[in-house]
Amino acid sequence: MQKTSIITVVFLLIAVNITAQQFGSNPASTKWFQINTDTARIIFTAPDIQHAQRIANVIHLINRTTDSSIGNARRKINMLLQNQATIPNAYVRMAPFRSELNMTPGADNFSNGSIRWDDNLSTHEYRHVQQFMNFNKGLTKAFYFFLGEEGQLLANGMTVPDYFFEGDAVFQETLVSSQGRGRMPFFFNDHKSIWQAGKNYSWMRWRNGSLRSLSPDHYPTGYMIVAYGYEKFRIDFWKKVTQDATAFKELFYPFNKAVEKYSGVSYRQFVKDAFDYFKKLSFTKNDFYTSIKYLTKTKKNNVVDYFNPQFIHDDEIIALKKSYDHVPEFIVVKNGNEKKVRVKDIGIDDYFSYRNGRIVYSAYTINARWGWNDYSDIRILNVNSGEQKKLTRHTKYFNPDINEDGTKIIAVNVKADGSSELHLINANTGAVEKIIPNEHHYFFTQTKFINDNEVVSAVRAGEGEMLLIKMNLSNGSIIVLKNFFYNVIGYPFVKNNKIYFSVMQGGADRICSIGLNDKEIKQLTDNDNGVYQPAVNDKNQMVLSVATVDGYRIAMIDPVKAKTDFEVIVPRGMDGNWMGPKDTYRYIHNALGQIGNDLLSRVPDSVYEVKKYKKSFQLFNFHSRRPVYGPPEYGYSFFSDNMLNNFNNILTYTYNENERSHKAEWLTTYGGFLPVLYAGADAALNRQFLLSNNNRVNFNSATAKIGAYIPLSFVSGRTSQALSFGGGFNAEQLYYTGIGKNILDNRSFDYLNFFFNFSSASQKAKQHIFPRWAQSFSLTYRDALTFTSSYKFVATGHLYFPGLFPNHNLVVDLAYQKKDTLGDIFSNTFPFSRGYESLRTRRMYKLGANYHFPILYPDLGFANMVYIQRIRGNAFFDYTNARARLNGVLQDIPSKTVGGELYLDGKIWNALPVSIGLRYNYLLDKDLLNPGVKNVWEIILPIGLIPE
């Protein structure tokens, strides 16, 4: 019988604030070190020793400084630093309580800012640590008592919205630094675009997003609400709200009720007031949007982005296009018409450079086995022929640029310790011709050729200041063109002895220029919302990417004229008004002046002892437990994961009330080697079965299993693949007791199992139901060694094809099964025709066809509980042929079905994606196990939404 935990079912319906972790994604040979204090254990490899020291100092200071706004509970956290991953990301997980930080800095200055990356990660992620430490109150403690750390995770997901978790963490990174995303206009572009267009979103639409219109995520939404609360209702406002909520002071909508209690207004009014506060301060009147000419069209029920527009000719522009219904592709825009060049390879950013018929960009690739080791490799695309060349392999290159004659590439190389350097690369061979000295220890970002011997680069310096520099490639000498302090800059473009670039200024990201010789700087746009990636042609026309409610559109300024001299605002102190009277950030000065402001300027330089990290530490770390509830079986499971996340154990006890039997089970998995190894054992007492004469026979049993599998992943160009294969041996021994031991012989049941899984999928746009092109295949073979000729082979496959329209899919299902002629002793995994009771015959095969299509994008919700983003349908036909012996005659049994499925795609509790379906089956043949049934209705419920 399948055992189901009622708590597991509840987990499928609760949104929690975690990012998926990777099991067994570092090899066992990795040498780890640690800094171990009363506040945190920082676990790292040798290149990250300086980062570990800094992070230890930062979180110790934060731990005793900003706790007044969240609570003074203390709990030690284990933090792993990963330096081989190129995607800038991090997470804190409650079950088990641990954190992992990806130490490779992001290459885009406008997304996360320019402060040092270890500060950025530690200030944000440690706020999540503080949240979890303090969110174990009242009734949540009961959840923790019965379910362990997963219990707190469950309770926190029920009581505290995800937008608060992230909004509060962004507020902390803004408070304690001289920057943070809360001071960066880019962070608010989507909200400002919506407001600028006069759109009135409902609260549920803000929270859940949309598949047809611009949808800000919960980070900026949460930040505005959290920051407004701090600004208007003092430093302890959110501490009191979250304490009441996590203690379940109210059983229904405890967070909303607590906001109402401490703000004195309804929750809906509080959110409206927060948005209105930011909305009123977001705009000033200017004529920018009437003075530009848009070169790209908008599309109904879609959001289309165009990035990095660059001139091919004066009337011809190349750009990267992304939309809700198309994957990223390079396109040429001419006279309002678009021509596709090629789909872009999978990447982690949208940056590319163009010169003289060639595009150069970085693509994402991964280590097949070790998931924490991935790469950023250079691609060169010939625009005229559409041919692409893979120039480098297993490198970490970002923001490449190609020179005029296409012989050299300049690219930013990021090393394992997080530092960067410029590499001059041969565009034909990929060989590194020169590594440019970096004596000033700058972090290079977007870098462009001025000529073959000089480049210009937007660099991060010191603790987050940004400089625009000119560098000589021959000797590495540097000329600082301008110090922009904490005003973020990026996307330089060189033309006519000037550099054009985007810069954070006056509440928006705007375009400026600076002379290469005279260093005279001019502001060229006075926009209210973000504009990026300028390019200028010989006619003094500028194209740029403009943030709008329809996506980032290409616009032209003709001709380019200076609006005003650009004034660099110098940070002036620690009063919360970091950017002076013309503060780039113009909001919530009171909130940003509270305890902890500009904390990063006061971080001590204590040196902590470094020791080797013993991999045996907390090898068994039982952090959570779940009840087993699947009548007639009841019990408990206990879960253990070590800090390196490569050793997992599950212990389970179950009691069967029908048999009055007891069972203890153990399963262990180790992922530090090329094959993942697993083993397990169970023992059951007082089991029983019924003989034909209605006598019950009692027996005990013991089972052991061992096996291995190899999980591999590949990212190659425009597709990603997964391959896994392995096998195992299972042995079960029966021991009869009572009367059974006198009439039956103790016997064993041993079997082998093997499997092979492969999948390949192209990139998937937001509105796509499935990838346009994809394939998946699965093979399993099981053989019972102690039963003569007892075996089963099952093969399944799914083929995904484009439909008639961009968001339609044709899906073909294939399946084949062959087994022995004995009774079926193995579980049934064959996907029989829908609507029929599944047969288990010696040979079966199935063909199925599905046509999936969207019907409507309603963007409607109910009571902050259920939100529907899309209604879609599927028309299907299934044909299964089963060969079996009926009435002594071997014959084929057809089972054909036609029908349809209707799905509602959306979110529940404003956070968790969910799809619920209704299926109608019309049976064209006789169901042998349910004769007379023709019409079958089924409800399709989601399972496995959150990985365990």
Side-chain angles (χ1 to χ4, degrees):
M1 179 177 291
Q2 179 69 35
K3 300 187 292 290
T4 303
S5 165
I6 191 171
I7 296 299
T8 301
V9 174
V10 175
F11 261 99
L12 303 183
L13 305 177
I14 295 296
V16 294
N17 185 57
I18 61 171
T19 300
Q21 56 182 347
Q22 300 186 60
F23 177 77
S25 291
N26 286 302
S29 59
T30 304
K31 295 181 180 179
W32 297 95
F33 300 88
Q34 65 174 325
I35 291 174
N36 186 19
T37 74
D38 60 348
T39 301
R41 176 181 287 102
I42 315 297
I43 306 168
F44 56 94
T45 56
D48 279 324
I49 185 170
Q50 296 303 321
H51 295 303
Q53 293 284 358
R54 174 72 177 189
I55 290 171
N57 277 287
V58 168
I59 64 178
H60 274 74
L61 185 58
I62 288 177
N63 183 50
R64 62 176 184 267
T65 304
T66 65
D67 56 354
S68 56
S69 61
I70 198 69
N72 57 9
R74 298 285 187 269
R75 186 178 175 188
K76 188 172 179 176
I77 182 70
N78 292 283
M79 305 183 79
L80 272 75
L81 311 187
Q82 303 281 0
N83 60 29
Q84 296 299 314
T86 60
I87 298 176
N89 201 1
Y91 72 86
V92 174
R93 184 178 177 88
M94 185 63 227
F97 191 48
R98 63 194 293 272
S99 176
E100 292 193 76
L101 313 180
N102 295 10
M103 301 308 298
T104 301
D108 179 19
N109 300 319
F110 292 94
S111 295
N112 291 299
S114 59
I115 63 173
R116 52 185 295 171
W117 185 239
D118 48 8
D119 284 357
N120 193 316
L121 292 179
S122 54
T123 55
H124 182 98
E125 299 305 326
Y126 195 72
R127 186 57 168 188
H128 291 318
V129 174
Q130 291 177 299
Q131 291 162 352
F132 282 130
M133 288 192 303
N134 287 280
F135 288 178
N136 192 12
K137 306 286 185 182
L139 189 58
T140 296
K141 290 184 177 180
F143 280 78
Y144 191 95
F145 177 81
F146 287 106
L147 305 175
E149 291 176 352
E150 277 191 354
Q152 182 183 336
L153 186 66
L154 172 62
N156 290 169
M158 295 170 62
T159 55
V160 180
D162 59 350
Y163 79 75
F164 176 83
F165 278 100
E166 296 301 345
D168 186 50
V170 172
F171 180 84
Q172 173 148 292
E173 75 185 52
T174 307
L175 170 71
V176 303
S177 72
S178 293
Q179 196 182 78
R181 278 172 285 183
R183 302 181 198 277
M184 299 179 60
F186 180 86
F187 191 58
F188 304 98
N189 278 351
D190 287 350
H191 283 82
K192 291 168 70 175
S193 294
I194 293 166
W195 292 333
Q196 192 175 45
K199 302 289 185 180
N200 294 312
Y201 282 11
S202 67
W203 169 236
M204 290 195 71
R205 191 167 179 181
W206 284 114
R207 283 289 286 117
N208 296 285
S210 170
L211 295 176
R212 63 183 175 92
S213 60
L214 187 64
S215 302
D217 66 26
H218 57 286
Y219 282 71
T221 295
Y223 175 80
M224 286 187 277
I225 294 172
V226 170
Y228 176 77
Y230 282 128
E231 178 75 7
K232 296 297 181 181
F233 302 103
R234 300 186 304 277
I235 188 174
D236 62 347
F237 174 75
W238 290 113
K239 179 172 71 173
K240 293 186 290 187
V241 167
T242 54
Q243 284 181 345
D244 278 17
T246 55
F248 288 87
K249 291 291 182 67
E250 299 282 347
L251 290 180
F252 298 101
Y253 303 108
F255 186 86
N256 299 11
K257 297 294 185 182
V259 169
E260 294 176 353
K261 174 181 177 181
Y262 293 108
S263 69
V265 299
S266 69
Y267 178 74
R268 179 175 296 182
Q269 186 64 45
F270 179 89
V271 172
K272 182 180 183 302
D273 291 345
F275 277 7
D276 286 347
Y277 174 82
F278 281 83
K279 183 178 179 180
K280 290 174 183 177
L281 295 175
S282 294
F283 301 106
T284 58
K285 298 292 184 180
N286 64 61
D287 61 356
F288 172 77
Y289 295 96
T290 59
S291 65
I292 62 175
K293 176 185 177 182
Y294 287 112
L295 304 183
T296 52
K297 301 174 183 178
T298 62
K299 189 174 181 181
K300 186 178 180 181
N301 291 331
N302 199 358
V303 175
V304 186
D305 295 318
Y306 297 86
F307 297 115
N308 289 292
Q310 297 168 58
F311 285 101
I312 297 177
H313 304 293
D314 289 343
D315 62 345
E316 197 172 14
I317 295 164
I318 193 163
L320 178 68
K321 178 182 178 181
K322 299 170 62 177
S323 72
Y324 281 10
D325 66 355
H326 278 82
V327 299
E329 59 188 19
F330 295 108
I331 54 104
V332 173
V333 180
K334 184 176 182 179
N335 299 326
N337 298 315
E338 298 179 8
K339 179 183 177 182
K340 175 182 171 182
V341 178
R342 186 187 189 274
V343 171
K344 179 180 177 288
D345 283 3
I346 296 171
I348 62 176
D349 62 38
D350 301 314
Y351 186 81
F352 75 94
S353 291
Y354 169 85
R355 266 195 183 90
N356 199 17
R358 292 172 294 270
I359 285 174
V360 60
Y361 67 99
S362 294
Y364 177 72
T365 59
I366 61 176
N367 183 288
R369 173 61 181 90
W370 309 113
W372 281 117
N373 197 340
D374 53 39
Y375 314 99
S376 182
D377 292 318
I378 294 177
R379 305 284 190 262
I380 297 179
L381 172 62
N382 187 306
V383 173
N384 298 318
S385 67
E387 295 181 356
Q388 180 172 278
K389 179 180 180 180
K390 297 179 181 179
L391 192 64
T392 67
R393 183 175 182 270
H394 290 178
T395 56
K396 287 183 169 58
Y397 284 132
F398 301 90
N399 299 329
D401 187 41
I402 192 167
N403 67 349
E404 187 65 29
D405 63 11
T407 59
K408 300 180 187 300
I409 290 173
I410 193 76
V412 179
N413 177 59
V414 179
K415 298 189 289 187
D417 63 1
S419 64
S420 74
E421 58 194 10
L422 294 180
H423 284 192
L424 190 63
I425 302 166
N426 187 300
N428 294 315
T429 66
V432 178
E433 294 186 349
K434 190 168 188 177
I435 298 176
I436 316 303
N438 183 13
E439 297 178 356
H440 298 279
H441 305 291
Y442 292 145
F443 187 86
F444 295 94
T445 61
Q446 292 95 18
T447 303
K448 303 285 286 187
F449 280 105
I450 299 173
N451 52 55
D452 283 352
N453 195 49
E454 291 180 308
V455 296
V456 61
S457 183
V459 302
R460 305 171 194 165
E463 301 304 308
E465 295 180 45
M466 290 218 69
L467 312 176
L468 190 65
I469 67 165
K470 181 172 69 172
M471 171 178 276
N472 186 296
L473 299 180
S474 299
N475 55 27
S477 63
I478 287 175
I479 296 175
V480 176
L481 299 175
K482 199 69 176 178
N483 185 344
F484 291 88
F485 296 94
Y486 295 103
N487 290 277
V488 172
I489 61 171
Y491 308 116
F493 177 85
V494 182
K495 185 74 175 181
N496 298 329
N497 218 31
K498 288 184 179 179
I499 303 169
Y500 301 84
F501 56 96
S502 298
V503 59
M504 186 174 96
Q505 174 72 357
D509 295 324
R510 294 172 172 165
I511 305 299
C512 287
S513 69
I514 189 171
L516 277 169
N517 296 326
D518 58 19
K519 299 184 184 180
E520 183 181 23
I521 185 168
K522 297 289 184 180
Q523 182 175 317
L524 305 181
T525 65
D526 59 354
N527 49 289
D528 294 324
N529 209 358
V531 295
Y532 305 93
Q533 302 148 355
V536 178
N537 64 7
D538 292 332
K539 293 182 178 180
N540 199 34
Q541 297 171 317
M542 177 190 290
V543 290
L544 61 165
S545 182
V546 180
T548 76
V549 73
D550 298 301
Y552 283 86
R553 300 178 65 188
I554 300 176
M556 176 178 284
I557 300 175
D558 182 17
V560 182
K561 294 181 180 179
K563 299 293 182 182
T564 182
D565 292 337
F566 179 85
E567 180 183 1
V568 175
I569 306 301
V570 180
R572 71 173 194 180
M574 297 176 2
D575 60 354
N577 190 13
W578 309 119
M579 300 302 177
K582 296 182 180 179
D583 188 2
T584 299
Y585 181 70
R586 300 174 306 217
Y587 324 111
I588 61 167
H589 295 299
N590 294 331
L592 290 178
Q594 71 184 29
I595 296 173
N597 60 71
D598 199 28
L599 195 68
L600 293 183
S601 67
R602 307 190 296 275
V603 176
D605 56 359
S606 302
V607 177
Y608 293 92
E609 182 182 10
V610 175
K611 293 182 178 180
K612 288 185 177 181
Y613 178 78
K614 294 183 179 180
K615 298 176 184 178
S616 59
F617 174 74
Q618 289 188 350
L619 197 61
F620 293 93
N621 173 39
F622 286 95
H623 53 82
S624 301
R625 45 202 174 269
R626 298 178 196 170
V628 174
Y629 180 79
E633 292 192 323
Y634 308 88
Y636 244 82
S637 293
F638 300 82
F639 300 87
S640 168
D641 293 276
N642 67 332
M643 288 303 109
L644 296 180
N645 196 33
N646 60 12
F647 188 58
N648 169 267
N649 286 270
I650 303 174
L651 296 178
T652 302
Y653 165 78
T654 54
Y655 172 75
N656 187 301
E657 66 176 355
N658 289 347
E659 296 182 349
R660 296 183 180 180
S661 64
H662 307 266
K663 183 178 181 180
E665 186 175 4
W666 165 67
L667 177 65
T668 184
T669 309
Y670 179 69
F673 300 140
L674 175 62
V676 174
L677 308 178
Y678 68 87
D682 66 62
L685 301 177
N686 201 35
R687 296 180 62 187
Q688 56 185 241
F689 65 85
L690 195 65
L691 295 176
S692 58
N693 58 6
N694 289 327
N695 288 325
R696 294 183 180 273
V697 174
N698 294 330
F699 66 96
N700 301 327
S701 69
T703 304
K705 61 181 175 181
I706 188 170
Y709 64 93
I710 297 178
L712 302 175
S713 300
F714 308 91
V715 174
S716 177
R718 293 166 286 188
T719 62
S720 57
Q721 298 89 29
L723 170 66
S724 62
F725 56 92
F729 172 75
N730 297 258
E732 182 174 6
Q733 180 69 48
L734 305 183
Y735 302 94
Y736 295 101
T737 61
I739 191 175
K741 65 182 179 181
N742 298 323
I743 59 177
L744 296 171
D745 295 328
N746 294 336
R747 67 175 307 172
S748 64
F749 171 53
D750 305 330
Y751 75 90
L752 295 171
N753 65 287
F754 302 96
F755 74 90
F756 175 91
N757 297 323
F758 174 78
S759 65
S760 177
S762 62
Q763 300 176 69
K764 181 173 174 284
K766 189 171 184 176
Q767 288 182 353
H768 289 173
I769 300 171
F770 301 107
R772 300 275 284 166
W773 299 95
Q775 309 83 39
S776 67
F777 301 97
S778 176
L779 309 176
T780 61
Y781 177 77
R782 288 167 287 181
D783 193 321
L785 302 177
T786 51
F787 286 79
T788 304
S789 299
S790 184
Y791 68 91
K792 180 185 280 190
F793 171 76
V794 179
T796 60
H798 304 279
L799 306 176
Y800 299 79
F801 303 97
L804 298 175
F805 299 95
N807 297 324
H808 291 211
N809 279 97
L810 172 65
V811 182
V812 177
D813 300 327
L814 309 168
Y816 176 79
Q817 174 177 296
K818 185 172 177 57
K819 62 177 288 294
D820 58 84
T821 58
L822 302 176
D824 197 348
I825 62 175
F826 299 109
S827 60
N828 185 14
T829 59
F830 184 85
F832 210 80
S833 290
R834 280 163 278 197
Y836 289 86
E837 189 74 22
S838 180
L839 300 177
R840 299 188 179 195
T841 67
R842 64 172 66 187
R843 191 221 62 188
M844 298 190 293
Y845 67 85
K846 175 191 173 183
L847 297 174
N850 305 263
Y851 193 84
H852 294 267
F853 53 94
I855 299 173
L856 188 65
Y857 299 97
D859 287 339
L860 294 175
F862 170 74
N864 281 313
M865 294 177 62
V866 179
Y867 188 82
I868 305 301
Q869 295 173 315
R870 174 174 60 196
I871 301 173
R872 59 183 170 91
N874 173 36
F876 69 84
F877 170 76
D878 286 344
Y879 171 75
T880 298
N881 184 289
R883 172 157 290 191
R885 192 174 296 276
L886 294 178
N887 300 320
V889 179
L890 188 64
Q891 56 186 284
D892 292 332
I893 306 168
S895 299
K896 298 187 291 292
T897 309
V898 294
E901 296 169 339
L902 187 70
Y903 289 92
L904 303 181
D905 297 332
K907 294 184 180 180
I908 57 175
W909 285 304
N910 294 319
L912 189 65
V914 65
S915 293
I916 298 175
L918 178 67
R919 177 187 296 147
Y920 169 69
N921 310 275
Y922 181 74
L923 309 188
L924 299 175
D925 295 301
K926 180 180 179 180
D927 186 342
L928 294 184
L929 300 181
N930 291 295
V933 174
K934 283 292 184 182
N935 301 287
V936 179
W937 293 88
E938 298 174 283
I939 296 176
I940 307 169
L941 296 176
I943 59 172
L945 294 179
I946 296 179
E948 298 179 11

